[in-house]
Amino acid sequence: MAKIVQCVPNYSEGRDLKKIEKIVAPYKNKDGVKLLSCEPDADYNRTVVTLIGEPVAIAGAVVESAGIAAELIDMTVHSGEHSRMGALDVVPFIPIKEMEMSECVEMANKVGEALAVEHGIPVFLYEEAASRPERVNLAKVRKGQFEGMPEKLKDPEWKPDFGKAEIHPKAGVTAVGARMPLVAYNIDLDTSSIEVGKKIAAAIRHSGGGFRYIKAGAVETKGIIQVTMNITNYKKTSIYRVFETVKMEAKRYGVSVTGSEIVGLAPMEAFVESAEYYLGLYGFSTDKVLETHLMD
Amino acid sequence: MAKIVQCVPNYSEGRDLKKIEKIVAPYKNKDGVKLLSCEPDADYNRTVVTLIGEPVAIAGAVVESAGIAAELIDMTVHSGEHSRMGALDVVPFIPIKEMEMSECVEMANKVGEALAVEHGIPVFLYEEAASRPERVNLAKVRKGQFEGMPEKLKDPEWKPDFGKAEIHPKAGVTAVGARMPLVAYNIDLDTSSIEVGKKIAAAIRHSGGGFRYIKAGAVETKGIIQVTMNITNYKKTSIYRVFETVKMEAKRYGVSVTGSEIVGLAPMEAFVESAEYYLGLYGFSTDKVLETHLMD
C-alpha cells in the first residue's frame, strides 16, 4: 500500500497572487503530489496550502517551494494580522495512510535539514517533532515573531534545530513539525439551552475531565444547540466514542442527539473505525475499500 | 470529482500464461487504468480480470485487449469447465464513484459497438444494459455456448445487439453488460444451530420474503454459525439495515450477533452509508473523505 502524508505549509504572502502562483508551482503537475487547496488571506497576508501525497514527492516539493518563497517574500517589509516568523512560516506533516507519526517526525527532520542546507533558513522542529518540551507548542516557538528572531536565536535555549543561529535575512525562520490530522466534528442537540450544551461539552473535553484528544464548546446555530469540537487524535479518541458519550450525557438532561456533521475533510480511517464499531466488523481495514487501491 | 468505474472482463484462456500476459498488457502502465487482479483458472480455462479506473481509459483498454484476445484465443479448440461463448466472454461495467448506472449502460453500448466494428465480434448486451427482458440474465444469453452460437444467432430473437448475426470465427460472441458491485458480507451468530442460521437467512433474503437485493444462506464455520450473503445492490439494501435486521431476528431465538465481516472489496459508499446511519451524519458524502481527493 502507498503511504500518504498530508502537509499544510503556511506562507507569509496573502496579497500578491502572482507571487503565490510561483510559490505553489512546485505542487502542480507533479507525480505523487496533490494540491488540495490554496487559500490566500489578504488581512493575514498569509496563504495556507493543503497538500496530500507520497512522502518523498511531498518533501521534495516543499523544499523547492521554500526556496521560491525565500526569493519572492521579503519579511523585512511584511505586515499582516497573523503571527509569523518566516517566508515559509510553518510546515506540519500529518500521517494519513499507512504512516506512523515517527515517519512524519523523520520527514520533518529531513525537510528541516534541507531548508537549512539548501536555502540557509534556520529551522525549529515543533509538536511531535520537537527536540525539547518547550518547543512542542508552536506559539512559544514563534513568540517574538520575525522582528524578534535575531535576538531570540542568540539565546542558547533557542538555538535552531537546523542551520545557524541567525535568521535568513529575508526569509526569517521556519517551523517544521509533525502532528495528527484534526477532525472538526459537531453534534446537534434538540434543546434551546446553551447551558446544557456547555455542560455536555465540558464533560467530554480534556480540560473538563473528558477525553484526552477533545477540545469542545457549545454554540447556538440554526436555532439549535451544537456541541462543536476538534478531535486532535481520532485514532485514540474515536468519533463513535464521542458520539455515544454525548448521547449518553444528553439523556441526563432529557435531551436527544439529532445528528452530527463532519466539517471539512477527515481521513478514511476515522470513518472506517466507526463502521467497524457499529457493525462489529472484524478483519477490516481500509484495504477492503475498493477505492483505496486506486491510490497504490 | 473523478468518475470511477469497475470492469471485470472474463477471458476464455486460463492455462497459457504468456497469452494471458499479452491479453492484459493494455491494462498495465496506462493512465486512468488500475489492474486490481488477474486470476487465471486452469480447470475453467478462464481468466477473470478486475480493473478500476476512469471510464474512457477503461473502455479503450478493454476494446484493445479484446482485439488481442481475438487473435490469441481460438474458441474452436477451447475446452474448460466454465460456460463460455467467446474469447473475451463477458465484460460487466460497474459504477463505483460519481457514476450512475445509466453511464455504465452507455459504456456497455459504446464498447459493444466498438467490439463489433473494430474486431468483427457480435455482442449481446446483458443485465442493466440488456435491450430486452430475455437478455437480462447472462446464463440465458450464453446458453448454447460457443458451439451453439452459429445456430442461435440465426434466430431473429437472438440477433446480436451489435455486429452481424454470425460468430467471429475464432473469438465467438461477447456479452457486455452493466451491473451493481456485489458486496459479500457475513454475520456471525453465537449459536451452534444451523437451523437458526437458516431461518434468519430465509427471513432476510429476497427469495424468502426479505430484502430485494439479498441472496443469503447459513454455514457452519470456525465452530460458529454464519449468515453468509451477497448484497447485489448496496445502495438500495444497505449493510447497516441488514445487520440490524439480523440482530433483531436473532433475538427471537435468544441468539446474539457477535460480529460481521466484509469478504473481498467493497466501495467506499457502502461503508460511508453505515457511518451516516449510526452517527446520524448529515451533509456527508465521500467528498468529505480526504483520500477521495487523491483520485481526482
Side-chain angles (χ1 to χ4, degrees), chain A residues 188 260 262 279 282 288 291, chain B residues 188 260 262 279 282 288:
Chain A
D188 293 356
S260 70
I262 298 284
L279 297 173
Y282 54 85
K288 292 266 187 177
E291 287 92 333
Chain B
D188 293 355
S260 71
I262 298 284
L279 298 173
Y282 54 86
K288 293 265 187 179

Side-chain angles (χ1 to χ4, degrees), chain B residues 29-47:
Chain B
N29 302 315
K30 186 154 290 182
D31 274 358
V33 177
K34 173 86 189 167
L35 176 60
L36 275 191
S37 67
C38 173
E39 295 160 281
D41 185 299
D43 294 334
Y44 282 176
N45 197 8
R46 185 178 185 85
T47 296

Side-chain angles (χ1 to χ4, degrees), chain B residues 63-83:
Chain B
V63 174
E64 187 184 341
S65 169
I68 299 168
E71 275 174 30
L72 299 182
I73 300 172
D74 183 354
M75 293 302 294
T76 64
V77 295
H78 181 274
S79 68
E81 286 170 28
H82 197 289
S83 294

Side-chain angles (χ1 to χ4, degrees), chain A residues 81-95:
Chain A
E81 287 169 26
H82 198 288
S83 293
R84 77 286 177 276
M85 61 179 185
L88 170 54
D89 192 53
V90 52
V91 189
F93 294 102
I94 302 153

Side-chain angles (χ1 to χ4, degrees), chain B residues 210-222:
Chain B
F211 293 111
R212 172 70 185 86
Y213 296 102
I214 299 294
K215 295 175 179 174
V219 291
E220 189 178 342
T221 176
K222 297 170 285 176

Side-chain angles (χ1 to χ4, degrees), chain A residues 15-210:
Chain A
R15 294 168 190 165
D16 187 331
L17 298 183
K18 281 185 185 168
K19 284 187 182 174
I20 294 167
E21 191 65 31
K22 286 176 186 166
I23 290 166
V24 302
Y27 304 135
K28 293 184 174 173
N29 301 316
K30 187 154 288 183
D31 274 358
V33 177
K34 173 86 189 168
L35 176 60
L36 275 191
S37 67
C38 174
E39 296 160 280
D41 184 299
D43 294 335
Y44 283 175
N45 198 7
R46 185 179 184 86
T47 296
V48 177
V49 172
T50 304
L51 310 167
I52 44 176
E54 184 274 314
V56 173
I58 293 273
V62 167
V63 173
E64 187 184 344
S65 169
I68 300 167
E71 276 174 30
L72 298 182
I73 300 173
D74 184 353
M75 292 305 292
T76 64
V77 295
H78 181 273
S79 68
E81 287 169 26
H82 198 288
S83 293
R84 77 286 177 276
M85 61 179 185
L88 170 54
D89 192 53
V90 52
V91 189
F93 294 102
I94 302 153
I96 298 298
K97 187 165 148 279
E98 304 289 327
M99 280 194 86
E100 297 298 322
M101 183 56 77
S102 60
E103 296 174 87
C104 284
V105 169
E106 200 180 308
M107 280 189 80
N109 273 274
K110 282 187 182 164
V111 168
E113 187 174 15
L115 295 183
V117 171
E118 295 180 27
H119 305 311
I121 301 166
V123 167
F124 287 118
L125 297 171
Y126 77 103
E127 288 226 8
E128 299 277 346
S131 57
R132 44 180 99 173
E134 62 274 23
R135 296 185 183 188
V136 170
N137 186 325
L138 178 63
K140 287 187 186 164
V141 170
R142 199 159 48 195
K143 196 176 173 192
Q145 299 198 46
F146 174 73
E147 291 74 10
M149 282 297 141
E151 270 308 300
K152 184 169 181 171
L153 295 195
K154 288 177 188 164
D155 180 351
E157 287 288 301
W158 288 100
K159 182 180 178 299
D161 290 293
F162 296 105
K164 286 186 283 188
E166 53 191 60
I167 67 164
H168 181 289
K170 284 167 61 191
V173 180
T174 299
V176 183
R179 62 167 173 82
M180 283 295 286
L182 290 183
V183 176
Y185 184 51
N186 299 328
I187 300 177
D188 293 356
L189 305 175
D190 70 343
T191 177
S192 55
S193 163
I194 187 77
E195 286 311 312
V196 167
K198 283 180 177 173
K199 282 178 183 164
I200 293 173
I204 62 163
R205 72 181 169 227
H206 187 230
S207 64

Side-chain angles (χ1 to χ4, degrees), chain B:
Chain B
M1 299 303 304
K3 292 175 187 292
I4 302 289
V5 70
Q6 185 178 16
C7 179
V8 188
N10 287 219
Y11 299 89
S12 295
E13 174 59 66
R15 294 167 190 167
D16 186 332
L17 299 183
K18 282 185 182 169
K19 284 186 182 176
I20 294 166
E21 190 65 29
K22 287 177 186 167
I23 289 166
V24 301
Y27 305 135
K28 293 185 174 173
N29 302 315
K30 186 154 290 182
D31 274 358
V33 177
K34 173 86 189 167
L35 176 60
L36 275 191
S37 67
C38 173
E39 295 160 281
D41 185 299
D43 294 334
Y44 282 176
N45 197 8
R46 185 178 185 85
T47 296
V48 177
V49 172
T50 304
L51 310 167
I52 43 176
E54 185 274 313
V56 174
I58 293 273
V62 167
V63 174
E64 187 184 341
S65 169
I68 299 168
E71 275 174 30
L72 299 182
I73 300 172
D74 183 354
M75 293 302 294
T76 64
V77 295
H78 181 274
S79 68
E81 286 170 28
H82 197 289
S83 294
R84 77 286 178 277
M85 62 181 184
L88 170 54
D89 192 52
V90 52
V91 189
F93 294 102
I94 302 152
I96 298 298
K97 186 164 149 282
E98 304 290 326
M99 282 195 85
E100 298 297 324
M101 183 57 78
S102 61
E103 295 174 87
C104 284
V105 169
E106 201 180 307
M107 280 189 79
N109 273 272
K110 281 187 181 162
V111 168
E113 188 174 14
L115 294 183
V117 172
E118 295 181 27
H119 304 311
I121 301 167
V123 167
F124 286 118
L125 297 171
Y126 77 103
E127 288 226 7
E128 299 278 343
S131 57
R132 44 179 99 173
E134 63 272 25
R135 295 185 183 186
V136 169
N137 187 325
L138 179 63
K140 286 186 187 165
V141 170
R142 198 158 51 196
K143 196 175 174 192
Q145 300 199 47
F146 174 75
E147 291 74 10
M149 283 295 141
E151 270 308 300
K152 185 170 181 171
L153 297 195
K154 288 178 190 164
D155 179 351
E157 286 289 299
W158 288 100
K159 183 179 177 298
D161 290 292
F162 296 105
K164 287 185 284 187
E166 53 192 59
I167 68 164
H168 181 290
K170 283 167 60 192
V173 180
T174 298
V176 183
R179 63 165 172 84
M180 283 296 286
L182 290 184
V183 175
Y185 185 50
N186 298 328
I187 300 177
D188 293 355
L189 305 174
D190 70 343
T191 177
S192 56
S193 162
I194 188 77
E195 286 311 311
V196 167
K198 283 181 178 173
K199 281 178 182 164
I200 294 173
I204 62 163
R205 73 182 168 226
H206 186 229
S207 65
F211 293 111
R212 172 70 185 86
Y213 296 102
I214 299 294
K215 295 175 179 174
V219 291
E220 189 178 342
T221 176
K222 297 170 285 176
I224 58 151
I225 300 297
Q226 214 171 41
V227 178
T228 179
M229 70 192 83
N230 272 323
I231 305 177
T232 56
N233 186 333
Y234 69 86
K235 289 194 183 186
K236 293 187 175 164
T237 302
S238 300
I239 294 177
Y240 75 83
R241 196 175 305 134
V242 179
F243 181 73
E244 291 297 329
T245 305
V246 167
K247 279 210 298 200
M248 179 268 285
E249 203 63 24
K251 269 190 197 161
R252 177 171 176 182
Y253 308 103
V255 164
S256 299
V257 166
T258 58
S260 71
E261 66 173 338
I262 298 284
V263 182
L265 303 177
M268 199 192 301
E269 281 190 354
F271 304 109
V272 159
E273 219 201 347
S274 288
E276 279 184 54
Y277 171 74
Y278 288 111
L279 298 173
L281 286 177
Y282 54 86
F284 196 75
S285 75
T286 54
D287 287 4
K288 293 265 187 179
V289 180
L290 193 65
E291 288 91 333
T292 297
H293 300 275
L294 278 173
M295 298 179 279
D296 287 0

